[in-house]
PDB file of all heavy atoms in Angstrom:
ATOM      1  N   SER A  20     104.267  53.621  66.229  1.00 77.00           N
ATOM      2  CA  SER A  20     103.282  53.496  65.151  1.00 77.00           C
ATOM      3  C   SER A  20     103.118  54.785  64.359  1.00 77.00           C
ATOM      4  O   SER A  20     102.566  54.766  63.256  1.00 77.00           O
ATOM      5  CB  SER A  20     101.926  53.075  65.726  1.00 77.00           C
ATOM      6  OG  SER A  20     101.487  54.021  66.672  1.00 77.00           O
ATOM      7  N   ALA A  21     103.591  55.904  64.910  1.00 79.00           N
ATOM      8  CA  ALA A  21     103.488  57.189  64.208  1.00 79.00           C
ATOM      9  C   ALA A  21     104.754  57.988  64.490  1.00 79.00           C
ATOM     10  O   ALA A  21     104.748  58.896  65.329  1.00 79.00           O
ATOM     11  CB  ALA A  21     102.242  57.946  64.674  1.00 79.00           C
ATOM     12  N   PRO A  22     105.868  57.674  63.814  1.00 77.00           N
ATOM     13  CA  PRO A  22     107.171  58.264  64.150  1.00 77.00           C
ATOM     14  C   PRO A  22     107.230  59.784  64.059  1.00 77.00           C
ATOM     15  O   PRO A  22     108.047  60.398  64.731  1.00 77.00           O
ATOM     16  CB  PRO A  22     108.117  57.616  63.136  1.00 77.00           C
ATOM     17  CG  PRO A  22     107.445  56.339  62.733  1.00 77.00           C
ATOM     18  CD  PRO A  22     105.982  56.642  62.766  1.00 77.00           C
ATOM     19  N   LYS A  23     106.418  60.406  63.269  1.00 81.00           N
ATOM     20  CA  LYS A  23     106.493  61.857  63.076  1.00 81.00           C
ATOM     21  C   LYS A  23     105.348  62.586  63.789  1.00 81.00           C
ATOM     22  O   LYS A  23     105.019  63.720  63.453  1.00 81.00           O
ATOM     23  CB  LYS A  23     106.446  62.194  61.581  1.00 81.00           C
ATOM     24  CG  LYS A  23     107.587  61.576  60.772  1.00 81.00           C
ATOM     25  CD  LYS A  23     108.943  62.077  61.245  1.00 81.00           C
ATOM     26  CE  LYS A  23     110.074  61.467  60.417  1.00 81.00           C
ATOM     27  NZ  LYS A  23     111.408  61.932  60.883  1.00 81.00           N
ATOM     28  N   ALA A  24     104.748  61.961  64.783  1.00 84.00           N
ATOM     29  CA  ALA A  24     103.592  62.541  65.459  1.00 84.00           C
ATOM     30  C   ALA A  24     103.991  63.782  66.251  1.00 84.00           C
ATOM     31  O   ALA A  24     105.099  63.887  66.777  1.00 84.00           O
ATOM     32  CB  ALA A  24     102.962  61.510  66.394  1.00 84.00           C
ATOM     33  N   SER A  25     103.050  64.722  66.343  1.00 88.00           N
ATOM     34  CA  SER A  25     103.249  65.928  67.146  1.00 88.00           C
ATOM     35  C   SER A  25     102.989  65.598  68.612  1.00 88.00           C
ATOM     36  O   SER A  25     102.416  64.549  68.929  1.00 88.00           O
ATOM     37  CB  SER A  25     102.277  67.016  66.686  1.00 88.00           C
ATOM     38  OG  SER A  25     100.935  66.626  66.982  1.00 88.00           O
ATOM     39  N   PRO A  26     103.383  66.496  69.536  1.00 89.00           N
ATOM     40  CA  PRO A  26     103.102  66.234  70.954  1.00 89.00           C
ATOM     41  C   PRO A  26     101.628  65.981  71.221  1.00 89.00           C
ATOM     42  O   PRO A  26     101.270  65.074  71.981  1.00 89.00           O
ATOM     43  CB  PRO A  26     103.603  67.499  71.650  1.00 89.00           C
ATOM     44  CG  PRO A  26     104.658  68.035  70.750  1.00 89.00           C
ATOM     45  CD  PRO A  26     104.208  67.711  69.363  1.00 89.00           C
ATOM     46  N   GLY A  27     100.772  66.792  70.574  1.00 90.00           N
ATOM     47  CA  GLY A  27      99.337  66.610  70.775  1.00 90.00           C
ATOM     48  C   GLY A  27      98.843  65.259  70.275  1.00 90.00           C
ATOM     49  O   GLY A  27      98.002  64.614  70.922  1.00 90.00           O
ATOM     50  N   GLU A  28      99.387  64.816  69.142  1.00 90.00           N
ATOM     51  CA  GLU A  28      98.978  63.521  68.597  1.00 90.00           C
ATOM     52  C   GLU A  28      99.456  62.367  69.473  1.00 90.00           C
ATOM     53  O   GLU A  28      98.747  61.372  69.647  1.00 90.00           O
ATOM     54  CB  GLU A  28      99.531  63.373  67.170  1.00 90.00           C
ATOM     55  CG  GLU A  28      98.862  64.309  66.164  1.00 90.00           C
ATOM     56  CD  GLU A  28      99.568  64.325  64.824  1.00 90.00           C
ATOM     57  OE1 GLU A  28     100.799  64.061  64.781  1.00 90.00           O
ATOM     58  OE2 GLU A  28      98.903  64.611  63.811  1.00 90.00           O
ATOM     59  N   ILE A  29     100.663  62.496  70.030  1.00 90.00           N
ATOM     60  CA  ILE A  29     101.163  61.451  70.931  1.00 90.00           C
ATOM     61  C   ILE A  29     100.281  61.352  72.163  1.00 90.00           C
ATOM     62  O   ILE A  29      99.864  60.259  72.573  1.00 90.00           O
ATOM     63  CB  ILE A  29     102.621  61.748  71.333  1.00 90.00           C
ATOM     64  CG1 ILE A  29     103.546  61.654  70.120  1.00 90.00           C
ATOM     65  CG2 ILE A  29     103.086  60.777  72.423  1.00 90.00           C
ATOM     66  CD1 ILE A  29     104.977  62.083  70.393  1.00 90.00           C
ATOM     67  N   VAL A  30      99.974  62.513  72.761  1.00 91.00           N
ATOM     68  CA  VAL A  30      99.128  62.530  73.957  1.00 91.00           C
ATOM     69  C   VAL A  30      97.749  61.961  73.641  1.00 91.00           C
ATOM     70  O   VAL A  30      97.192  61.162  74.414  1.00 91.00           O
ATOM     71  CB  VAL A  30      99.002  63.963  74.512  1.00 91.00           C
ATOM     72  CG1 VAL A  30      97.945  64.028  75.603  1.00 91.00           C
ATOM     73  CG2 VAL A  30     100.354  64.436  75.047  1.00 91.00           C
ATOM     74  N   GLU A  31      97.183  62.346  72.516  1.00 91.00           N
ATOM     75  CA  GLU A  31      95.848  61.863  72.146  1.00 91.00           C
ATOM     76  C   GLU A  31      95.844  60.344  71.951  1.00 91.00           C
ATOM     77  O   GLU A  31      94.921  59.648  72.408  1.00 91.00           O
ATOM     78  CB  GLU A  31      95.390  62.554  70.860  1.00 91.00           C
ATOM     79  CG  GLU A  31      93.988  62.126  70.410  1.00 91.00           C
ATOM     80  CD  GLU A  31      93.561  62.796  69.120  1.00 91.00           C
ATOM     81  OE1 GLU A  31      94.394  63.502  68.504  1.00 91.00           O
ATOM     82  OE2 GLU A  31      92.388  62.600  68.717  1.00 91.00           O
ATOM     83  N   HIS A  32      96.869  59.830  71.283  1.00 89.00           N
ATOM     84  CA  HIS A  32      96.941  58.385  71.054  1.00 89.00           C
ATOM     85  C   HIS A  32      97.031  57.620  72.372  1.00 89.00           C
ATOM     86  O   HIS A  32      96.349  56.612  72.583  1.00 89.00           O
ATOM     87  CB  HIS A  32      98.156  58.064  70.174  1.00 89.00           C
ATOM     88  CG  HIS A  32      98.254  56.619  69.791  1.00 89.00           C
ATOM     89  ND1 HIS A  32      99.449  55.984  69.579  1.00 89.00           N
ATOM     90  CD2 HIS A  32      97.304  55.666  69.606  1.00 89.00           C
ATOM     91  CE1 HIS A  32      99.238  54.723  69.270  1.00 89.00           C
ATOM     92  NE2 HIS A  32      97.945  54.496  69.283  1.00 89.00           N
ATOM     93  N   VAL A  33      97.880  58.114  73.282  1.00 90.00           N
ATOM     94  CA  VAL A  33      98.057  57.433  74.563  1.00 90.00           C
ATOM     95  C   VAL A  33      96.782  57.500  75.387  1.00 90.00           C
ATOM     96  O   VAL A  33      96.325  56.492  75.948  1.00 90.00           O
ATOM     97  CB  VAL A  33      99.238  58.043  75.342  1.00 90.00           C
ATOM     98  CG1 VAL A  33      99.288  57.474  76.761  1.00 90.00           C
ATOM     99  CG2 VAL A  33     100.546  57.767  74.623  1.00 90.00           C
ATOM    100  N   THR A  34      96.175  58.684  75.469  1.00 90.00           N
ATOM    101  CA  THR A  34      94.986  58.844  76.324  1.00 90.00           C
ATOM    102  C   THR A  34      93.754  58.159  75.741  1.00 90.00           C
ATOM    103  O   THR A  34      92.848  57.798  76.486  1.00 90.00           O
ATOM    104  CB  THR A  34      94.695  60.323  76.574  1.00 90.00           C
ATOM    105  OG1 THR A  34      94.608  61.022  75.325  1.00 90.00           O
ATOM    106  CG2 THR A  34      95.790  60.950  77.420  1.00 90.00           C
ATOM    107  N   ASN A  35      93.735  57.972  74.435  1.00 89.00           N
ATOM    108  CA  ASN A  35      92.637  57.186  73.859  1.00 89.00           C
ATOM    109  C   ASN A  35      92.700  55.740  74.332  1.00 89.00           C
ATOM    110  O   ASN A  35      91.670  55.092  74.513  1.00 89.00           O
ATOM    111  CB  ASN A  35      92.697  57.225  72.329  1.00 89.00           C
ATOM    112  CG  ASN A  35      92.172  58.526  71.766  1.00 89.00           C
ATOM    113  OD1 ASN A  35      91.462  59.267  72.461  1.00 89.00           O
ATOM    114  ND2 ASN A  35      92.510  58.817  70.519  1.00 89.00           N
ATOM    115  N   PHE A  36      93.916  55.259  74.510  1.00 86.00           N
ATOM    116  CA  PHE A  36      94.089  53.878  74.967  1.00 86.00           C
ATOM    117  C   PHE A  36      94.033  53.778  76.481  1.00 86.00           C
ATOM    118  O   PHE A  36      93.487  52.817  77.042  1.00 86.00           O
ATOM    119  CB  PHE A  36      95.421  53.327  74.452  1.00 86.00           C
ATOM    120  CG  PHE A  36      95.617  51.869  74.748  1.00 86.00           C
ATOM    121  CD1 PHE A  36      94.976  50.897  73.995  1.00 86.00           C
ATOM    122  CD2 PHE A  36      96.442  51.457  75.783  1.00 86.00           C
ATOM    123  CE1 PHE A  36      95.149  49.550  74.263  1.00 86.00           C
ATOM    124  CE2 PHE A  36      96.621  50.110  76.062  1.00 86.00           C
ATOM    125  CZ  PHE A  36      95.967  49.154  75.297  1.00 86.00           C
ATOM    126  N   VAL A  37      94.595  54.774  77.161  1.00 87.00           N
ATOM    127  CA  VAL A  37      94.622  54.782  78.630  1.00 87.00           C
ATOM    128  C   VAL A  37      94.027  56.109  79.095  1.00 87.00           C
ATOM    129  O   VAL A  37      94.750  57.068  79.383  1.00 87.00           O
ATOM    130  CB  VAL A  37      96.055  54.618  79.179  1.00 87.00           C
ATOM    131  CG1 VAL A  37      96.031  54.411  80.699  1.00 87.00           C
ATOM    132  CG2 VAL A  37      96.767  53.463  78.512  1.00 87.00           C
ATOM    133  N   PRO A  38      92.701  56.190  79.191  1.00 89.00           N
ATOM    134  CA  PRO A  38      92.048  57.459  79.540  1.00 89.00           C
ATOM    135  C   PRO A  38      92.494  58.044  80.874  1.00 89.00           C
ATOM    136  O   PRO A  38      92.421  59.260  81.076  1.00 89.00           O
ATOM    137  CB  PRO A  38      90.556  57.077  79.575  1.00 89.00           C
ATOM    138  CG  PRO A  38      90.447  55.871  78.693  1.00 89.00           C
ATOM    139  CD  PRO A  38      91.721  55.126  78.891  1.00 89.00           C
ATOM    140  N   LYS A  39      92.953  57.209  81.800  1.00 87.00           N
ATOM    141  CA  LYS A  39      93.360  57.715  83.115  1.00 87.00           C
ATOM    142  C   LYS A  39      94.524  58.695  83.030  1.00 87.00           C
ATOM    143  O   LYS A  39      94.796  59.431  83.984  1.00 87.00           O
ATOM    144  CB  LYS A  39      93.724  56.552  84.047  1.00 87.00           C
ATOM    145  CG  LYS A  39      92.522  55.779  84.576  1.00 87.00           C
ATOM    146  CD  LYS A  39      92.950  54.720  85.575  1.00 87.00           C
ATOM    147  CE  LYS A  39      91.726  54.003  86.138  1.00 87.00           C
ATOM    148  NZ  LYS A  39      90.902  54.903  86.965  1.00 87.00           N
ATOM    149  N   LEU A  40      95.250  58.711  81.904  1.00 88.00           N
ATOM    150  CA  LEU A  40      96.379  59.618  81.761  1.00 88.00           C
ATOM    151  C   LEU A  40      95.983  60.953  81.141  1.00 88.00           C
ATOM    152  O   LEU A  40      96.843  61.801  80.899  1.00 88.00           O
ATOM    153  CB  LEU A  40      97.474  58.967  80.914  1.00 88.00           C
ATOM    154  CG  LEU A  40      98.345  57.932  81.629  1.00 88.00           C
ATOM    155  CD1 LEU A  40      99.314  57.282  80.662  1.00 88.00           C
ATOM    156  CD2 LEU A  40      99.112  58.574  82.779  1.00 88.00           C
ATOM    157  N   ALA A  41      94.706  61.155  80.897  1.00 88.00           N
ATOM    158  CA  ALA A  41      94.251  62.426  80.352  1.00 88.00           C
ATOM    159  C   ALA A  41      94.607  63.555  81.318  1.00 88.00           C
ATOM    160  O   ALA A  41      94.338  63.480  82.514  1.00 88.00           O
ATOM    161  CB  ALA A  41      92.738  62.391  80.121  1.00 88.00           C
ATOM    162  N   GLY A  42      95.251  64.578  80.782  1.00 87.00           N
ATOM    163  CA  GLY A  42      95.652  65.708  81.607  1.00 87.00           C
ATOM    164  C   GLY A  42      96.929  65.482  82.395  1.00 87.00           C
ATOM    165  O   GLY A  42      97.336  66.359  83.181  1.00 87.00           O
ATOM    166  N   ASN A  43      97.611  64.365  82.203  1.00 87.00           N
ATOM    167  CA  ASN A  43      98.836  64.075  82.931  1.00 87.00           C
ATOM    168  C   ASN A  43      99.972  64.948  82.395  1.00 87.00           C
ATOM    169  O   ASN A  43     100.338  64.862  81.227  1.00 87.00           O
ATOM    170  CB  ASN A  43      99.186  62.587  82.784  1.00 87.00           C
ATOM    171  CG  ASN A  43     100.387  62.190  83.612  1.00 87.00           C
ATOM    172  OD1 ASN A  43     101.516  62.405  83.206  1.00 87.00           O
ATOM    173  ND2 ASN A  43     100.133  61.610  84.771  1.00 87.00           N
ATOM    174  N   GLN A  44     100.507  65.798  83.263  1.00 87.00           N
ATOM    175  CA  GLN A  44     101.543  66.741  82.848  1.00 87.00           C
ATOM    176  C   GLN A  44     102.822  66.020  82.437  1.00 87.00           C
ATOM    177  O   GLN A  44     103.521  66.437  81.514  1.00 87.00           O
ATOM    178  CB  GLN A  44     101.833  67.719  83.990  1.00 87.00           C
ATOM    179  CG  GLN A  44     102.792  68.841  83.628  1.00 87.00           C
ATOM    180  CD  GLN A  44     102.255  69.741  82.514  1.00 87.00           C
ATOM    181  OE1 GLN A  44     101.033  69.862  82.344  1.00 87.00           O
ATOM    182  NE2 GLN A  44     103.137  70.346  81.740  1.00 87.00           N
ATOM    183  N   ARG A  45     103.127  64.933  83.125  1.00 87.00           N
ATOM    184  CA  ARG A  45     104.332  64.167  82.816  1.00 87.00           C
ATOM    185  C   ARG A  45     104.264  63.616  81.394  1.00 87.00           C
ATOM    186  O   ARG A  45     105.239  63.648  80.649  1.00 87.00           O
ATOM    187  CB  ARG A  45     104.487  63.028  83.830  1.00 87.00           C
ATOM    188  CG  ARG A  45     105.632  62.085  83.593  1.00 87.00           C
ATOM    189  CD  ARG A  45     106.956  62.742  83.853  1.00 87.00           C
ATOM    190  NE  ARG A  45     108.033  61.763  83.937  1.00 87.00           N
ATOM    191  CZ  ARG A  45     109.302  62.062  83.819  1.00 87.00           C
ATOM    192  NH1 ARG A  45     109.679  63.308  83.628  1.00 87.00           N
ATOM    193  NH2 ARG A  45     110.224  61.120  83.910  1.00 87.00           N
ATOM    194  N   LEU A  46     103.108  63.113  80.986  1.00 90.00           N
ATOM    195  CA  LEU A  46     102.921  62.589  79.634  1.00 90.00           C
ATOM    196  C   LEU A  46     103.145  63.681  78.602  1.00 90.00           C
ATOM    197  O   LEU A  46     103.789  63.453  77.574  1.00 90.00           O
ATOM    198  CB  LEU A  46     101.526  61.988  79.493  1.00 90.00           C
ATOM    199  CG  LEU A  46     101.132  61.527  78.088  1.00 90.00           C
ATOM    200  CD1 LEU A  46     102.071  60.428  77.595  1.00 90.00           C
ATOM    201  CD2 LEU A  46      99.685  61.031  78.065  1.00 90.00           C
ATOM    202  N   PHE A  47     102.636  64.892  78.872  1.00 92.00           N
ATOM    203  CA  PHE A  47     102.797  65.981  77.917  1.00 92.00           C
ATOM    204  C   PHE A  47     104.273  66.366  77.774  1.00 92.00           C
ATOM    205  O   PHE A  47     104.753  66.624  76.667  1.00 92.00           O
ATOM    206  CB  PHE A  47     101.981  67.194  78.371  1.00 92.00           C
ATOM    207  CG  PHE A  47     102.029  68.351  77.411  1.00 92.00           C
ATOM    208  CD1 PHE A  47     101.403  68.273  76.180  1.00 92.00           C
ATOM    209  CD2 PHE A  47     102.737  69.503  77.741  1.00 92.00           C
ATOM    210  CE1 PHE A  47     101.461  69.339  75.278  1.00 92.00           C
ATOM    211  CE2 PHE A  47     102.807  70.563  76.854  1.00 92.00           C
ATOM    212  CZ  PHE A  47     102.170  70.490  75.616  1.00 92.00           C
ATOM    213  N   GLN A  48     105.014  66.397  78.880  1.00 91.00           N
ATOM    214  CA  GLN A  48     106.439  66.724  78.817  1.00 91.00           C
ATOM    215  C   GLN A  48     107.203  65.686  78.005  1.00 91.00           C
ATOM    216  O   GLN A  48     108.089  66.030  77.210  1.00 91.00           O
ATOM    217  CB  GLN A  48     107.006  66.810  80.236  1.00 91.00           C
ATOM    218  CG  GLN A  48     106.469  67.973  81.055  1.00 91.00           C
ATOM    219  CD  GLN A  48     106.882  67.900  82.512  1.00 91.00           C
ATOM    220  OE1 GLN A  48     107.408  66.877  82.969  1.00 91.00           O
ATOM    221  NE2 GLN A  48     106.636  68.971  83.257  1.00 91.00           N
ATOM    222  N   VAL A  49     106.869  64.414  78.209  1.00 92.00           N
ATOM    223  CA  VAL A  49     107.521  63.345  77.453  1.00 92.00           C
ATOM    224  C   VAL A  49     107.214  63.481  75.966  1.00 92.00           C
ATOM    225  O   VAL A  49     108.104  63.344  75.109  1.00 92.00           O
ATOM    226  CB  VAL A  49     107.074  61.963  77.973  1.00 92.00           C
ATOM    227  CG1 VAL A  49     107.574  60.852  77.055  1.00 92.00           C
ATOM    228  CG2 VAL A  49     107.564  61.739  79.392  1.00 92.00           C
ATOM    229  N   ALA A  50     105.958  63.761  75.641  1.00 92.00           N
ATOM    230  CA  ALA A  50     105.560  63.910  74.238  1.00 92.00           C
ATOM    231  C   ALA A  50     106.309  65.055  73.571  1.00 92.00           C
ATOM    232  O   ALA A  50     106.716  64.956  72.406  1.00 92.00           O
ATOM    233  CB  ALA A  50     104.049  64.131  74.152  1.00 92.00           C
ATOM    234  N   GLN A  51     106.512  66.146  74.300  1.00 92.00           N
ATOM    235  CA  GLN A  51     107.259  67.280  73.738  1.00 92.00           C
ATOM    236  C   GLN A  51     108.703  66.879  73.420  1.00 92.00           C
ATOM    237  O   GLN A  51     109.232  67.227  72.362  1.00 92.00           O
ATOM    238  CB  GLN A  51     107.247  68.449  74.729  1.00 92.00           C
ATOM    239  CG  GLN A  51     105.930  69.207  74.790  1.00 92.00           C
ATOM    240  CD  GLN A  51     106.019  70.409  75.704  1.00 92.00           C
ATOM    241  OE1 GLN A  51     106.460  70.289  76.851  1.00 92.00           O
ATOM    242  NE2 GLN A  51     105.606  71.561  75.228  1.00 92.00           N
ATOM    243  N   GLU A  52     109.352  66.148  74.332  1.00 90.00           N
ATOM    244  CA  GLU A  52     110.735  65.739  74.107  1.00 90.00           C
ATOM    245  C   GLU A  52     110.834  64.775  72.925  1.00 90.00           C
ATOM    246  O   GLU A  52     111.748  64.884  72.093  1.00 90.00           O
ATOM    247  CB  GLU A  52     111.305  65.098  75.375  1.00 90.00           C
ATOM    248  CG  GLU A  52     112.594  64.318  75.184  1.00 90.00           C
ATOM    249  CD  GLU A  52     113.729  65.142  74.619  1.00 90.00           C
ATOM    250  OE1 GLU A  52     113.698  66.391  74.719  1.00 90.00           O
ATOM    251  OE2 GLU A  52     114.661  64.533  74.056  1.00 90.00           O
ATOM    252  N   LEU A  53     109.904  63.839  72.826  1.00 90.00           N
ATOM    253  CA  LEU A  53     109.950  62.886  71.720  1.00 90.00           C
ATOM    254  C   LEU A  53     109.704  63.569  70.389  1.00 90.00           C
ATOM    255  O   LEU A  53     110.325  63.225  69.371  1.00 90.00           O
ATOM    256  CB  LEU A  53     108.923  61.775  71.957  1.00 90.00           C
ATOM    257  CG  LEU A  53     109.224  60.825  73.113  1.00 90.00           C
ATOM    258  CD1 LEU A  53     108.104  59.798  73.277  1.00 90.00           C
ATOM    259  CD2 LEU A  53     110.561  60.120  72.901  1.00 90.00           C
ATOM    260  N   SER A  54     108.803  64.540  70.382  1.00 88.00           N
ATOM    261  CA  SER A  54     108.551  65.272  69.148  1.00 88.00           C
ATOM    262  C   SER A  54     109.776  66.110  68.772  1.00 88.00           C
ATOM    263  O   SER A  54     110.138  66.217  67.590  1.00 88.00           O
ATOM    264  CB  SER A  54     107.322  66.168  69.321  1.00 88.00           C
ATOM    265  OG  SER A  54     107.056  66.890  68.136  1.00 88.00           O
ATOM    266  N   ARG A  55     110.419  66.703  69.777  1.00 88.00           N
ATOM    267  CA  ARG A  55     111.616  67.498  69.528  1.00 88.00           C
ATOM    268  C   ARG A  55     112.726  66.645  68.913  1.00 88.00           C
ATOM    269  O   ARG A  55     113.449  67.089  68.010  1.00 88.00           O
ATOM    270  CB  ARG A  55     112.107  68.105  70.841  1.00 88.00           C
ATOM    271  CG  ARG A  55     113.334  69.017  70.687  1.00 88.00           C
ATOM    272  CD  ARG A  55     114.096  69.155  71.991  1.00 88.00           C
ATOM    273  NE  ARG A  55     114.643  67.890  72.439  1.00 88.00           N
ATOM    274  CZ  ARG A  55     115.737  67.325  71.945  1.00 88.00           C
ATOM    275  NH1 ARG A  55     116.389  67.909  70.949  1.00 88.00           N
ATOM    276  NH2 ARG A  55     116.175  66.169  72.410  1.00 88.00           N
ATOM    277  N   SER A  56     112.855  65.404  69.407  1.00 85.00           N
ATOM    278  CA  SER A  56     113.919  64.531  68.894  1.00 85.00           C
ATOM    279  C   SER A  56     113.625  64.001  67.507  1.00 85.00           C
ATOM    280  O   SER A  56     114.512  63.458  66.843  1.00 85.00           O
ATOM    281  CB  SER A  56     114.134  63.353  69.846  1.00 85.00           C
ATOM    282  OG  SER A  56     113.007  62.496  69.843  1.00 85.00           O
TER     283      SER A  56
END
């Protein structure tokens, strides 16, 4: 839904929908790789 999102924006979008993933290190690493690509 947001192809050019930054890592922070990806994490925020996911955690807004699934709060249990707030602070999840794995999610942040994935967001960095997707933003890099």
Side-chain angles (χ1 to χ4, degrees):
S20 59
K23 300 299 181 181
S25 66
E28 291 170 333
I29 294 174
V30 170
E31 181 181 6
H32 185 211
V33 172
T34 53
N35 283 342
F36 186 77
V37 189
K39 285 185 177 293
L40 282 175
N43 185 279
Q44 186 62 27
R45 176 70 166 162
L46 174 61
F47 183 70
Q48 293 171 349
V49 171
Q51 284 184 309
E52 165 59 21
L53 291 178
S54 180
R55 183 202 63 78
S56 68

